[in-house]
Amino acid sequence: MSAYVLLLLRIILVVVLYGFIAWALYTLWRDMKTQEKTRSIPQSPKLTLIKLGMEEPESTSFIQSEIVLGRDPTSDLQIEDNTISAQHALLSYHHDQWWAKDLESTNGTFLNNERIFDEHLITSGDVLKLGIFTFEIQIQEN
């Protein structure tokens, strides 16, 4: 009878061992798939805003896909001036292009001297005006 118990314990050990190996391989496969998806997310090209109208223009670069411009301290580009709304404008990267949108600001957002309300496509060299501030947009190509 002890031979049967020993055989049964060996079989249980083999099943548990193969189950552990299968679980480990599945976990590795799942992690590789997750990394593959993470790598396939398109990265937005670097966008640089150059503040014009100064002796030495100031530039600020961004790599994230959404940039909020405004007076609010939580804005990505904080502009200290009363002509700027708390959240004045949004620059966003989607559909493989950069877009500018006014966030219902009081004094408006102007792209190449035209007031914008909804999303407008922006390209390198465009001029963005918020209140009394003017920025030249430079987009680094990937």
Side-chain angles (χ1 to χ4, degrees):
M1 176 110 125
S2 65
Y4 290 117
V5 171
L6 188 59
L7 178 62
L8 183 62
L9 288 174
R10 286 182 180 173
I11 291 173
I12 291 173
L13 180 64
V14 168
V15 168
V16 168
L17 182 61
Y18 278 113
F20 175 76
I21 291 171
W23 173 78
L25 290 175
Y26 172 74
T27 301
L28 288 172
W29 175 79
R30 190 182 63 209
D31 287 347
M32 286 175 48
K33 286 293 185 184
T34 303
Q35 285 182 355
E36 181 180 313
K37 287 180 183 177
T38 304
R39 288 185 189 160
S40 67
I41 295 173
Q43 298 295 320
S44 60
K46 183 168 81 170
L47 182 128
T48 303
L49 294 174
I50 304 167
K51 190 186 287 187
L52 303 175
M54 305 171 66
E55 289 182 22
E56 281 190 43
E58 294 178 17
S59 66
T60 308
S61 297
F62 301 93
I63 55 172
Q64 67 261 36
S65 60
E66 281 195 350
I67 304 161
V68 176
L69 310 172
R71 199 175 64 238
D72 188 9
T74 61
S75 297
D76 297 306
L77 180 61
Q78 184 181 5
I79 306 167
E80 290 292 332
D81 189 76
N82 291 334
T83 62
I84 305 295
S85 296
Q87 292 188 340
H88 196 97
L90 172 70
L91 304 178
S92 60
Y93 183 78
H94 56 87
H95 299 101
D96 294 328
Q97 297 179 12
W98 277 101
W99 301 81
K101 179 181 179 184
D102 183 66
L103 296 176
E104 299 179 11
S105 63
T106 304
N107 294 323
T109 301
F110 295 82
L111 182 64
N112 298 325
N113 293 324
E114 290 184 29
R115 187 167 184 173
I116 62 171
F117 298 96
D118 54 355
E119 285 192 323
H120 278 75
L121 178 67
I122 55 177
T123 59
S124 195
D126 282 350
V127 176
L128 185 69
K129 187 168 190 246
L130 312 171
I132 61 169
F133 293 94
T134 305
F135 299 91
E136 180 183 343
I137 299 170
Q138 293 296 323
I139 301 171
Q140 179 183 4
E141 299 299 323
N142 289 337

